[in-house]
Amino acid sequence: MKVLEYVLGVASVVLNDNDSVAEDTPSQFLEPGNVTANYSDDYSYYVFRLQVPGSYCQTSYCSHDIEEKLQPNGFKIHGIWPSSTGGNSPSQCRDDKFYEDDINSKTLSAMNTDWPSDRGSNDSFWSHEWSTHGVCAKDVPGYDSGYLSVDEFFTFVIDQYNKFNPTKVFSDANIKPSNDYYYNLEEINDAFKNAYGVVPANTCDYQDGKAWLMHISLCLDLDLKPMYCPDAQSSCRDSDKIYYGSLSD
């Protein structure tokens, strides 16, 4: 079990997700390790991983065009991953190709806003998430039994993003994107605890004496209710001055 401070895996910084990443997969979305396909489709919860482009663009170079693409400020989707404890989460469960044309126009429009890649094409990033994780999603509440189709999976993820809406959670707690003003970990945890009843796992990246909030991982049980992430460790520290980065400062 490998503990990292920058990228977030199955449960925050406790990582066992052995994905590879296409060349144009956004760097803030990197998943550690090489592909080790686990064709078993058994899993016990979902990891809903979200990231903060405003923080990413403060710790890595983002062109003006990229910053425009990543607007508006707030959290964006990385993905939803069927997961299991003990580092044996499913991946690449079946061979089902990704075709953007299979996704309905309403969901696709939302994906372009809420699930963008920071470089390369959105299509390549979405294809990676589908072929690694989406193909394993099955028996999801609200859908017919069995595996989700491409359209169903991406609609499901967008629906969960709208349902849990971490950007609104922060806004309701008066936590606003800023590259000058910081928050403490208790404020961040309390915002999520008040909204979800649980505290998601988190990742901070440290640059020039600042702790930038990079990701959160909200774990969901098989009924899609928030739960504490199994064995989760978070890299943001109680003593940190944590910045919720902004694209527009």
Side-chain angles (χ1 to χ4, degrees):
M1 185 173 290
K2 189 174 183 180
V3 179
L4 301 181
E5 286 196 346
Y6 182 74
V7 289
L8 192 62
V10 167
S12 184
V13 292
V14 176
L15 300 180
N16 286 292
D17 187 61
N18 293 318
D19 290 357
S20 69
V21 183
E23 183 176 352
D24 59 357
T25 299
S27 52
Q28 78 269 37
F29 295 153
L30 291 179
E31 300 162 16
N34 298 317
V35 166
T36 302
N38 177 10
Y39 301 115
S40 170
D41 58 7
D42 292 332
Y43 59 92
S44 56
Y45 67 101
Y46 299 93
V47 171
F48 189 13
R49 187 180 179 197
L50 301 118
Q51 51 91 26
V52 183
S55 293
Y56 171 73
C57 288
Q58 293 301 311
T59 59
S60 301
Y61 173 73
C62 291
S63 68
H64 175 74
D65 288 345
I66 290 297
E67 290 215 22
E68 287 294 312
K69 180 181 179 182
L70 295 173
Q71 292 282 2
N73 269 311
F75 287 91
K76 302 294 184 182
I77 299 168
H78 181 164
I80 288 184
W81 303 346
S83 300
S84 300
T85 57
N88 198 32
S89 296
S91 64
Q92 303 175 356
C93 300
R94 57 198 175 97
D95 185 16
D96 190 359
K97 302 299 183 185
F98 173 84
Y99 297 104
E100 189 174 302
D101 290 345
D102 290 338
I103 302 172
N104 71 81
S105 59
K106 180 180 178 181
T107 294
L108 187 60
S109 177
M111 289 165 62
N112 278 301
T113 300
D114 300 327
W115 200 341
S117 167
D118 78 324
R119 59 184 181 186
S121 68
N122 289 344
D123 185 270
S124 293
F125 176 52
W126 299 333
S127 177
H128 168 77
E129 288 299 305
W130 166 250
S131 63
T132 306
H133 304 287
V135 293
C136 298
K138 64 173 185 174
D139 300 333
V140 176
Y143 294 88
D144 292 338
S145 61
Y147 289 110
L148 297 186
S149 68
V150 170
D151 181 59
E152 289 172 334
F153 174 73
F154 286 98
T155 299
F156 159 62
V157 176
I158 291 296
D159 285 347
Q160 299 312 300
Y161 179 78
N162 291 331
K163 175 182 176 181
F164 292 106
N165 199 342
T167 301
K168 184 177 185 300
V169 168
F170 265 21
S171 178
D172 288 348
N174 203 32
I175 298 175
K176 301 176 182 178
S178 174
N179 300 328
D180 300 309
Y181 189 84
Y182 61 83
Y183 303 88
N184 61 48
L185 185 59
E186 183 178 10
E187 291 175 294
I188 290 171
N189 286 345
D190 283 350
F192 289 121
K193 184 71 177 289
N194 291 337
Y196 302 149
V198 301
V199 176
N202 60 61
T203 299
C204 284
D205 188 25
Y206 299 88
Q207 295 266 342
D208 300 324
K210 292 183 176 181
W212 296 94
L213 180 64
M214 304 298 289
H215 307 98
I216 67 164
S217 278
L218 175 64
C219 290
L220 307 174
D221 66 21
L222 296 183
D223 292 321
L224 306 181
K225 296 178 181 178
M227 59 180 280
Y228 281 96
C229 297
D231 306 316
Q233 298 181 31
S234 296
S235 68
C236 301
R237 300 170 298 211
D238 289 338
S239 59
D240 286 340
K241 299 175 179 179
I242 301 172
Y243 292 81
Y244 173 40
S246 174
L247 291 164
S248 56
D249 277 13

